[in-house]
Amino acid sequence: MASSVTSHAASAAPGSAAMAGGERPRSLRLVREGRLDLLREEPLEPARRSYGRSGDTLLHQAARNGHRDVLAYLVEALEMDLEVFNSDYKRPLHEAASMGHPECVSYLLERGASVDCLKKGDWTPLMMACTRQNLEVIKALVDHGANPLLKNKDGWNCFHIASREGHPHVLQYLLDVSPGCWDTESTINRTPLHTAAMHGCLEAVELLLERCQYKPDSRDRCGVTPFMDAIQKGHVDIARLLLEKHQEGHTHTIQRLLSLGADLQAKDGKSRSALHAACAGQQAAAARVLLQAGLRDAPDGTGTLAQQLARKPDVIQVLQETSVST
């Protein structure tokens, strides 16, 4: 598909520079504002005319701004091409999907727009829709045959993208319509669980652990695990969840983090440390490694010490053996 994009780009190149440096016409402003009544009175625009460095056409502007009636006028009355693309190879469908405009998306699909067309970086409209949480748009694309398993140039499919955004209802829907979409890695071997943990998407991590079969210590090309991502970014609540779900204790992971210079004193938004995570997860070995590395207990945002979260005898013993408080 990438080669076809390139060949189309070559054929469209002469028109892509139109109006690049000059004054933009009134029709462009009217399309952005959705003023179909005034637009009808304007002189006809060349079907493939584009504007500025982006190379956007009037169709791109109508789709991006969610003006279905204007979109229909441009397609039906002026016979503009549904598959026209800008300098990033974005089609109008990419624009409507990325901005979450269900009426425009449905109109373009019903008129025959290619549902899995590629923009720069091999992003499909479905991938772009998954950067938002408008499930109506995502469903419309899937209902018209969008393939959830396609990957962009970085090896991300739409499930990976939705995991970065952390919208559980989108992830739930994708798993329902494509049960195997979770089983994916990027070009550097990062899973959606890595991505959700790194970006602090707690609800998404909970869902991924519940419905997907990720290996507890899956490593990307650099040897980083989801637990490491969570700790390095200060998402202690997610680190604690990973400890609770995977009972290995992650001692080797913690040791590797420390050897890489990770901030031992990192805290999340509720002022909880990695020691809070280890104690809440009842991980004696993890708590021992952290204490031996020099981490000391301190109250979180609610005044709770990590040692107050310990319940298992072996965890309590580790804390008693070490002076954990500053």
Side-chain angles (χ1 to χ4, degrees):
M1 294 179 73
S3 60
S4 65
V5 167
T6 304
S7 63
H8 282 308
S11 65
S16 63
M19 305 295 294
E23 183 180 354
R24 295 183 176 182
R26 183 167 180 261
S27 57
L28 183 60
R29 176 174 60 82
L30 294 177
V31 167
R32 287 174 172 171
E33 295 174 356
R35 295 300 307 272
L36 180 58
D37 54 338
L38 298 178
L39 186 64
R40 293 181 189 276
E41 301 172 4
E42 289 293 300
L44 294 180
E45 289 281 348
R48 295 186 65 86
R49 168 168 279 180
S50 56
Y51 307 91
R53 293 182 179 179
S54 68
D56 287 340
T57 66
L58 295 182
L59 274 179
H60 287 91
Q61 292 290 341
R64 180 182 302 149
N65 289 282
H67 301 311
R68 186 214 180 268
D69 55 345
V70 174
L71 198 60
Y73 171 72
L74 296 174
V75 172
E76 297 172 31
L78 303 188
E79 298 183 343
M80 291 189 175
D81 182 8
L82 287 174
E83 303 298 345
V84 66
F85 53 86
N86 65 14
S87 56
D88 284 332
Y89 308 133
K90 280 186 181 179
R91 271 69 167 177
L93 184 59
H94 282 106
E95 296 287 0
S98 67
M99 297 305 292
H101 297 310
E103 291 186 356
C104 290
V105 167
S106 294
Y107 173 79
L108 290 167
L109 291 171
E110 289 163 4
R111 295 289 300 189
S114 175
V115 71
D116 281 330
C117 54
L118 300 179
K119 81 168 192 72
K120 190 175 182 180
D122 294 338
W123 281 64
T124 67
L126 180 59
M127 293 175 191
M128 300 191 73
C130 286
T131 64
R132 295 180 178 267
Q133 52 181 322
N134 192 322
L135 198 54
E136 187 178 354
V137 169
I138 294 171
K139 286 182 176 179
L141 291 164
V142 172
D143 288 346
H144 280 80
N147 185 352
L149 301 181
L150 293 179
K151 294 185 176 185
N152 63 21
K153 71 176 183 63
D154 296 315
W156 286 28
N157 67 12
C158 63
F159 189 78
H160 214 142
I161 293 164
S163 296
R164 180 188 66 186
E165 304 303 321
H167 302 142
H169 61 291
V170 173
L171 293 168
Q172 189 84 42
Y173 171 75
L174 292 173
L175 286 170
D176 289 342
V177 297
S178 182
C181 64
W182 67 271
D183 190 12
T184 184
E185 290 184 348
S186 71
T187 54
I188 57 171
N189 305 126
R190 291 180 62 78
T191 67
L193 184 60
H194 280 91
T195 302
M198 179 180 182
H199 288 272
C201 303
L202 177 59
E203 290 185 58
V205 170
E206 290 174 334
L207 177 63
L208 296 182
L209 291 173
E210 177 183 346
R211 289 204 56 181
C212 309
Q213 288 79 54
Y214 292 110
K215 294 180 180 179
D217 287 313
S218 58
R219 297 177 181 273
D220 66 13
R221 186 176 294 175
C222 297
V224 176
T225 68
F227 178 81
M228 293 170 71
D229 275 327
I231 288 294
Q232 285 180 313
K233 294 296 182 178
H235 305 309
V236 179
D237 49 353
I238 292 177
R240 181 180 64 188
L241 177 62
L242 290 167
L243 282 171
E244 291 172 348
K245 292 292 184 180
H246 306 302
Q247 298 300 314
E248 292 81 1
H250 293 280
T251 54
H252 295 300
T253 299
I254 294 171
Q255 290 167 340
R256 177 173 170 78
L257 272 169
L258 295 174
S259 71
L260 293 173
D263 183 7
L264 185 66
Q265 308 299 329
K267 295 184 177 181
D268 66 8
K270 298 181 180 179
S271 297
R272 293 172 297 196
S273 70
L275 188 60
H276 282 86
C279 290
Q282 310 308 312
Q283 298 295 324
R288 179 177 288 106
V289 170
L290 291 167
L291 291 168
Q292 289 175 346
L295 182 59
R296 292 295 176 261
D297 203 356
D300 65 11
T302 66
T304 303
L305 292 167
Q307 58 191 290
Q308 293 174 257
L309 303 175
R311 297 290 182 269
K312 288 187 175 182
D314 56 343
V315 180
I316 295 172
Q317 182 178 350
V318 167
L319 296 169
Q320 289 175 341
E321 291 171 352
T322 310
S323 177
V324 297
S325 301
T326 56

